[in-house]
Amino acid sequence: MKLRVMGTKDECRQVMKTPTKLSGIATPEQMVARAATLLETMDIVVPYIKDYFANGTVYLYKGFEGEKVNPDSPLGKKLHEIEKEFGCKVYAVTFERYSWGRVYSFLLVSKYMEDWDVMFRLTGDPYKYIAYAYCWNLDRPECSEPGSVILESAIGGIRRVG
């Protein structure tokens, strides 16, 4: 598979507006390709997208700044646990502090292709997106759950804003 780095924000948004109309169970390669398209749509810096596409490297974003997730770290182990439990691919992680705790949001691509159109959606704002994630609350683990989050992109990275 060849990574297609789209040229403009408008081109990315046009691709995301077109329903996939796919069904069935995706191969791991198809899930990675879908994740790379989502990263491109959010204007993630190209070297990070290429690293994900070529090596499966997931980046953690704290206030738009990305750093590689070490697969042997507690965060890396949680990432693999989520992928195994939900049968999905994690393509990025954000970290935020809220009044209810410190939260890692693991952005997911489902193995079921018919889920793809609802797991990542555009908003009216060209820099905000709704993505499906598993939210891991470090301070209140009982509040950890999957669901939709709102992301904002800027300067080649992302952060969760809702």
mmCIF file of all heavy atoms in Angstrom, residues 104-108 119 131-135 145-149:
data_model
loop_
_atom_site.group_PDB
_atom_site.id
_atom_site.type_symbol
_atom_site.label_atom_id
_atom_site.label_comp_id
_atom_site.label_asym_id
_atom_site.label_seq_id
_atom_site.Cartn_x
_atom_site.Cartn_y
_atom_site.Cartn_z
ATOM 1 N N TYR A 104 -6.455 9.725 29.211
ATOM 2 C CA TYR A 104 -5.883 9.384 27.916
ATOM 3 C C TYR A 104 -7.033 8.985 27.002
ATOM 4 O O TYR A 104 -7.852 8.141 27.381
ATOM 5 C CB TYR A 104 -4.912 8.204 28.020
ATOM 6 C CG TYR A 104 -3.587 8.530 28.648
ATOM 7 C CD1 TYR A 104 -3.313 8.178 29.964
ATOM 8 C CD2 TYR A 104 -2.593 9.171 27.913
ATOM 9 C CE1 TYR A 104 -2.080 8.464 30.535
ATOM 10 C CE2 TYR A 104 -1.358 9.458 28.481
ATOM 11 C CZ TYR A 104 -1.116 9.103 29.784
ATOM 12 O OH TYR A 104 0.102 9.384 30.350
ATOM 13 N N SER A 105 -7.096 9.569 25.813
ATOM 14 C CA SER A 105 -8.111 9.203 24.823
ATOM 15 C C SER A 105 -7.410 8.480 23.675
ATOM 16 O O SER A 105 -6.594 9.076 22.968
ATOM 17 C CB SER A 105 -8.835 10.446 24.306
ATOM 18 O OG SER A 105 -9.496 11.105 25.367
ATOM 19 N N PHE A 106 -7.721 7.205 23.503
ATOM 20 C CA PHE A 106 -7.138 6.366 22.463
ATOM 21 C C PHE A 106 -8.062 6.414 21.252
ATOM 22 O O PHE A 106 -9.176 5.886 21.307
ATOM 23 C CB PHE A 106 -7.005 4.923 22.952
ATOM 24 C CG PHE A 106 -6.067 4.753 24.119
ATOM 25 C CD1 PHE A 106 -6.491 5.007 25.414
ATOM 26 C CD2 PHE A 106 -4.766 4.323 23.923
ATOM 27 C CE1 PHE A 106 -5.640 4.842 26.492
ATOM 28 C CE2 PHE A 106 -3.902 4.152 24.993
ATOM 29 C CZ PHE A 106 -4.337 4.418 26.283
ATOM 30 N N LEU A 107 -7.636 7.034 20.166
ATOM 31 C CA LEU A 107 -8.465 7.159 18.969
ATOM 32 C C LEU A 107 -8.455 5.837 18.210
ATOM 33 O O LEU A 107 -7.392 5.264 17.979
ATOM 34 C CB LEU A 107 -7.962 8.297 18.089
ATOM 35 C CG LEU A 107 -7.795 9.651 18.789
ATOM 36 C CD1 LEU A 107 -7.384 10.714 17.788
ATOM 37 C CD2 LEU A 107 -9.045 10.053 19.542
ATOM 38 N N LEU A 108 -9.646 5.375 17.818
ATOM 39 C CA LEU A 108 -9.807 4.017 17.303
ATOM 40 C C LEU A 108 -10.332 3.942 15.880
ATOM 41 O O LEU A 108 -11.153 4.765 15.473
ATOM 42 C CB LEU A 108 -10.802 3.246 18.192
ATOM 43 C CG LEU A 108 -10.566 3.256 19.701
ATOM 44 C CD1 LEU A 108 -11.708 2.547 20.409
ATOM 45 C CD2 LEU A 108 -9.241 2.618 20.038
ATOM 46 N N MET A 119 -17.432 6.684 13.003
ATOM 47 C CA MET A 119 -16.379 6.744 14.015
ATOM 48 C C MET A 119 -15.491 7.983 13.884
ATOM 49 O O MET A 119 -14.724 8.287 14.785
ATOM 50 C CB MET A 119 -15.515 5.490 13.972
ATOM 51 C CG MET A 119 -16.257 4.265 14.450
ATOM 52 S SD MET A 119 -15.218 2.811 14.539
ATOM 53 C CE MET A 119 -14.372 3.085 16.085
ATOM 54 N N ALA A 131 -14.356 12.128 16.917
ATOM 55 C CA ALA A 131 -13.710 10.825 16.712
ATOM 56 C C ALA A 131 -14.133 9.861 17.808
ATOM 57 O O ALA A 131 -14.431 10.271 18.938
ATOM 58 C CB ALA A 131 -12.191 10.989 16.714
ATOM 59 N N TYR A 132 -14.138 8.593 17.480
ATOM 60 C CA TYR A 132 -14.454 7.552 18.459
ATOM 61 C C TYR A 132 -13.176 7.195 19.199
ATOM 62 O O TYR A 132 -12.113 7.042 18.586
ATOM 63 C CB TYR A 132 -15.039 6.328 17.760
ATOM 64 C CG TYR A 132 -15.726 5.395 18.715
ATOM 65 C CD1 TYR A 132 -16.971 5.718 19.246
ATOM 66 C CD2 TYR A 132 -15.137 4.204 19.094
ATOM 67 C CE1 TYR A 132 -17.597 4.868 20.133
ATOM 68 C CE2 TYR A 132 -15.760 3.354 19.980
ATOM 69 C CZ TYR A 132 -16.990 3.684 20.505
ATOM 70 O OH TYR A 132 -17.610 2.847 21.391
ATOM 71 N N ALA A 133 -13.286 7.064 20.512
ATOM 72 C CA ALA A 133 -12.100 6.813 21.332
ATOM 73 C C ALA A 133 -12.451 5.975 22.552
ATOM 74 O O ALA A 133 -13.611 5.939 22.987
ATOM 75 C CB ALA A 133 -11.500 8.137 21.791
ATOM 76 N N TYR A 134 -11.444 5.330 23.091
ATOM 77 C CA TYR A 134 -11.557 4.735 24.414
ATOM 78 C C TYR A 134 -10.881 5.710 25.361
ATOM 79 O O TYR A 134 -9.702 6.047 25.188
ATOM 80 C CB TYR A 134 -10.883 3.361 24.508
ATOM 81 C CG TYR A 134 -11.050 2.787 25.888
ATOM 82 C CD1 TYR A 134 -12.224 2.131 26.241
ATOM 83 C CD2 TYR A 134 -10.069 2.946 26.855
ATOM 84 C CE1 TYR A 134 -12.408 1.639 27.521
ATOM 85 C CE2 TYR A 134 -10.236 2.462 28.138
ATOM 86 C CZ TYR A 134 -11.406 1.805 28.464
ATOM 87 O OH TYR A 134 -11.586 1.334 29.741
ATOM 88 N N CYS A 135 -11.622 6.204 26.351
ATOM 89 C CA CYS A 135 -11.107 7.196 27.300
ATOM 90 C C CYS A 135 -10.750 6.496 28.605
ATOM 91 O O CYS A 135 -11.615 5.937 29.278
ATOM 92 C CB CYS A 135 -12.137 8.296 27.517
ATOM 93 S SG CYS A 135 -12.573 9.125 25.982
ATOM 94 N N GLU A 145 -14.257 4.630 29.607
ATOM 95 C CA GLU A 145 -15.283 4.091 28.707
ATOM 96 C C GLU A 145 -15.012 4.510 27.269
ATOM 97 O O GLU A 145 -14.326 5.501 27.022
ATOM 98 C CB GLU A 145 -16.661 4.601 29.116
ATOM 99 C CG GLU A 145 -16.798 6.113 29.007
ATOM 100 C CD GLU A 145 -18.140 6.626 29.476
ATOM 101 O OE1 GLU A 145 -19.033 5.829 29.775
ATOM 102 O OE2 GLU A 145 -18.297 7.850 29.539
ATOM 103 N N PRO A 146 -15.587 3.768 26.305
ATOM 104 C CA PRO A 146 -15.515 4.195 24.902
ATOM 105 C C PRO A 146 -16.600 5.225 24.617
ATOM 106 O O PRO A 146 -17.630 5.259 25.287
ATOM 107 C CB PRO A 146 -15.753 2.905 24.128
ATOM 108 C CG PRO A 146 -16.528 2.031 25.062
ATOM 109 C CD PRO A 146 -16.152 2.438 26.456
ATOM 110 N N GLY A 147 -16.346 6.072 23.627
ATOM 111 C CA GLY A 147 -17.329 7.074 23.227
ATOM 112 C C GLY A 147 -16.713 8.081 22.278
ATOM 113 O O GLY A 147 -15.543 7.971 21.911
ATOM 114 N N SER A 148 -17.505 9.060 21.896
ATOM 115 C CA SER A 148 -17.036 10.090 20.968
ATOM 116 C C SER A 148 -16.382 11.235 21.717
ATOM 117 O O SER A 148 -16.830 11.614 22.795
ATOM 118 C CB SER A 148 -18.201 10.622 20.136
ATOM 119 O OG SER A 148 -18.695 9.599 19.305
ATOM 120 N N VAL A 149 -15.333 11.779 21.121
ATOM 121 C CA VAL A 149 -14.635 12.942 21.674
ATOM 122 C C VAL A 149 -14.516 13.992 20.571
ATOM 123 O O VAL A 149 -14.578 13.669 19.385
ATOM 124 C CB VAL A 149 -13.232 12.583 22.219
ATOM 125 C CG1 VAL A 149 -13.329 11.602 23.375
ATOM 126 C CG2 VAL A 149 -12.325 12.036 21.136
#
